[in-house]
């Protein structure tokens, strides 16, 4: 998730709000899109047909179908206790492209897709990579690239990968793994987003194994990315572009890719399309060895995590053995702003760090103010960690909607790189790191990957050694690829959770976070006679303050006094109840509550903004 413009007359996004106004104005025979869920896919189909409707699309990953229903058909289904009906959250958008830029970028994309060019790229990459880590070569080329990088960063000159070096691989230790031969080779990252524009400089070669465009109920190959967002996050995670000094631009430069487009030319989409994309990814995970899934989008929670159909599909992907990496959201620094599907307790939810415009001086790096923070409504600590997400340069077509309309003039016809900030970018960095870990140790499970990332992260600390941010803001801290690869940590993530029971609906879970009468957040002691009392540990309480503009060191020497107690889950049946607020079994009450899907609001809003992210200035 990422954003540029605060207070914009519209909010660009990947997932829309509920279309209550449409429902209110619809006539009795007007049909509206819904998701119908039953115990099995066949049962869902049967129930839909019994009311005279016909399924439009199977969403078997969550035992559901997409269908258009009239008001009478909807009422009949909702009266059936064996069926659940969800609104298909949507937004409709449109976009145009400029003629000269479109022609230039189309030519570039055509060359990138040429089999001869792909073969040359595949052969050249290992050769250049071998030179990259040679200190004699680096002594000659690095000063040239460094000077060119500084010029481009400070003057806005054309950003071309050959003479531009990104700092984020080095910032988190990924460059050292790349030099040791760990480049993501053999691991496939699935990116579910707005598509992919293939720039010849990105050296994707034949690494793009499959593409699928599911927008508007379709099922066709991805040929474009008119919005630009998907291209940007894909480039961060897996670009094979290299500067003249051999430094890679992306995190996993030899990882394979599967591209699923579920969002249109303005970055907008529907739940049914997103879930259909997830359905296809899970079904084809073995065929393409999909081990990582990047989800750089989100929406405001409107139910428990387990009652959201998108979250259910994401949980199914995790259970299938896919490491799901999700953007936390761009609604910080306020608490309880984690988006769907980042509020799923199992997945790796990522916040954003910025380098404070000093790319290679790490002592002033800080949490980005837009980065969404926890806890979730169910009391889970999110995000789990933070990654670089401030003014990140990566590939994008100069004729994309973002480059043309959201930040006009930011990329000329001949430029190749575009700068964006957001947790979308932070998630993409993390997805690339996960691919590196899985190449290094293919036996790792999703829980195992999450544990190693937690155990190796570096939290921000003050000069006195205490945490600069609470766990609700930074999780375990800044991701570190090298330390994660060298870690032997195990069984420290998703403890106390049971994803099979969660998906079956037999047991659900809450986390250890709570809020006191003064509005402060804290981690509860969930054991013994002190169950529910605050834990007295550094970083386990938060008064909602944010140290604006202040940078901190991100330490590899910090020791968590109680381990990762905050990463546990607890059975929801221990007395957690919902009414107007969120009440724990010992009387601790949350100050926020959720609206429920499928129930009309008392005053339907005229519009509901989309919600991949609102855009903020680069940090």
């Amino acid at each position: 998730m990422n954003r540029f413009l605060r207070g914009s007359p519209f909010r660009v996004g990947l997932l829309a709000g509920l279309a209550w106004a449409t429902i209110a104005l619809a006539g009795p025979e007007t049909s509206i899109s819904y998701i119908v869920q039953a115990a099995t896919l066949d049962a869902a189909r049967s129930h839909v047909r019994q009311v005279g409707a016909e399924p439009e699309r199977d969403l078997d990953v969550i035992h559901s179908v997409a269908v258009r229903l009239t008001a009478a058909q909807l009422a009949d289904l909702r009266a059936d206790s064996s069926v659940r009906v969800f609104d298909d959250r949507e937004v409709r958008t449109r976009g145009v492209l400029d003629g000269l830029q479109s022609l230039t970028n189309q030519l570039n994309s055509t060359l990138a897709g040429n089999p001869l060019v792909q073969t040359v790229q595949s052969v050249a990459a290992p050769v250049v990579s071998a030179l990259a880590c040679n200190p004699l070569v680096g002594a000659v080329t690095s000063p040239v690239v460094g000077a060119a990088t500084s010029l481009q960063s400070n003057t806005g000159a054309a950003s071309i990968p050959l003479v531009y070096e990104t700092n984020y691989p080095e910032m988190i230790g990924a460059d050292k793994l790349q030099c040791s031969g760990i480049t993501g080779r053999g691991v496939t990252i699935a990116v579910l987003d707005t598509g992919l524009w293939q720039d010849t400089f990105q050296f994707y070669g034949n690494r793009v194994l499959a593409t699928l465009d599911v927008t508007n109920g379709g099922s066709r190959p991805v040929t474009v990315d008119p919005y630009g967002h998907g291209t940007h996050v894909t480039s961060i995670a897996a670009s094979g572009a290299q500067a003249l000094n051999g430094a890679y631009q992306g995190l996993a430069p030899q990882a394979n890719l599967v591209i699923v487009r579920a969002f249109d030319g303005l970055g907008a989409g529907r739940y049914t399309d997103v879930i259909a994309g997830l359905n296809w990814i899970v079904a084809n995970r073995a065929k393409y060895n999909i081990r990582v899934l990047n989800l750089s989008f989100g929406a405001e929670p409107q139910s428990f995590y387990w009652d959201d159909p998108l979250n259910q599909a994401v949980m199914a992907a995790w259970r299938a053995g896919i490491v799901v990496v999700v953007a936390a959201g761009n609604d910080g620094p306020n608490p309880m702003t984690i988006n769907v599907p980042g509020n799923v307790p199992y997945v790796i939810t990522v916040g954003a760090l910025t380098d404070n415009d000093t790319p290679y001086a790490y002592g002033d790096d800080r949490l980005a103010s837009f980065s969404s923070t926890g806890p979730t409504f169910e009391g889970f600590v999110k995000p789990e960690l933070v990654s670089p997400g401030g003014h990140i340069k990566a590939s994008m077509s100069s004729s994309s909607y973002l480059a043309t309309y959201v930040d006009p003039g930011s990329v000329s016809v001949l430029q190749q790189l575009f700068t964006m900030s957001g947790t979308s970018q932070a998630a993409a960095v993390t997805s690339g790191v996960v691919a590196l870990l899985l190449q290094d140790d293919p036996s790792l499970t999703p829980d195992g990957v999450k544990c190693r990332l937690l155990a190796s992260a570096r939290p921000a600390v003050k000069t006195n050694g205490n945490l600069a941010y609470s766990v609700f803001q930074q999780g375990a801290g800044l991701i570190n690829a090298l330390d994660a690869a060298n870690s032997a940590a195990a069984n420290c993530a998703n403890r106390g959770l049971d994803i099979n029971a969660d998906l079956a609906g037999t047991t659900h879970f809450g986390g250890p976070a709570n809020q006191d009468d003064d509005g402060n957040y804290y981690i509860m002691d969930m054991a013994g006679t002190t169950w529910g009392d605050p834990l007295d540990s550094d970083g386990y309480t938060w008064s909602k303050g944010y140290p604006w503009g202040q940078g901190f060191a991100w330490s590899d020497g910090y020791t968590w006094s109680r381990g990762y107690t905050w990463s546990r889950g607890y059975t929801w049946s221990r007395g957690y109840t919902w009414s107007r607020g969120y009440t724990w079994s010992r009387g601790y009450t949350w100050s926020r509550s959720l609206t429920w899907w499928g129930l009309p609001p008392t005053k339907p809003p005229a519009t509901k903004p989309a919600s991949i992210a609102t855009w903020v200035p680069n940090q």
Side-chain angles (χ1 to χ4, degrees), residues 424-465:
S424 281
Q425 285 61 45
V429 169
T430 305
S431 290
V433 171
V434 171
L436 301 181
L437 298 185
L438 289 170
Q439 179 197 344
D440 186 53
D441 186 353
S443 69
L444 286 173
T445 64
D447 285 353
V449 168
K450 184 175 180 178
C451 177
R452 290 194 180 183
L453 290 176
L454 289 174
S456 59
R458 301 181 175 188
V461 295
K462 303 174 185 177
T463 54
N464 64 4

Side-chain angles (χ1 to χ4, degrees), residues 138 140 146 153 239-240 246 248 390 523 533 585:
V140 176
S153 296
S239 170
Y248 280 113
I523 300 296
D533 292 339
S585 63

Side-chain angles (χ1 to χ4, degrees), residues 20 118 152 288 291 389 419 435 459 469:
W20 295 115
Q118 291 180 341
Q152 295 173 84
Y288 299 113
R291 300 293 308 276
T419 304
Y469 306 107

Side-chain angles (χ1 to χ4, degrees), residues 460-541:
V461 295
K462 303 174 185 177
T463 54
N464 64 4
N466 292 333
L467 292 178
Y469 306 107
S470 73
V471 293
F472 305 110
Q473 298 166 287
Q474 66 174 335
L478 175 63
I479 192 171
N480 187 279
L482 182 63
D483 288 355
N486 291 327
S487 173
N491 302 316
C492 66
N494 296 339
R495 292 176 298 171
L497 302 179
D498 184 341
I499 197 167
N500 291 315
D502 225 340
L503 282 170
T506 57
T507 308
H508 301 299
F509 302 91
N514 208 339
Q515 187 178 25
D516 64 23
D517 292 339
D518 296 323
N520 302 311
Y521 295 90
Y522 62 92
I523 300 296
M524 297 189 295
D525 187 339
M526 306 291 275
T529 58
T530 59
W531 194 94
D533 292 339
L535 280 174
D536 183 19
S537 296
D538 183 27
Y540 281 19
T541 60

Side-chain angles (χ1 to χ4, degrees), residues 8 22 30 66 78 133 140 202 230 276 288 335 342 364 405-406 413 442 467 489 512 534 569 596 610:
S8 175
T22 303
T30 300
R78 283 191 167 153
C133 302
V140 176
Q202 296 306 306
Y288 299 113
D364 63 353
Y405 297 105
V406 175
V413 175
L467 292 178
W596 290 94

Side-chain angles (χ1 to χ4, degrees), residues 49 108 115 117 144 163 188 195 216 218 305 387 407 417 434 463 501 512 585 605:
R49 287 171 177 146
N108 196 342
V117 173
V144 176
V163 288
T188 301
N216 299 316
Y305 73 83
S387 287
D407 196 10
L417 301 180
V434 171
T463 54
S585 63

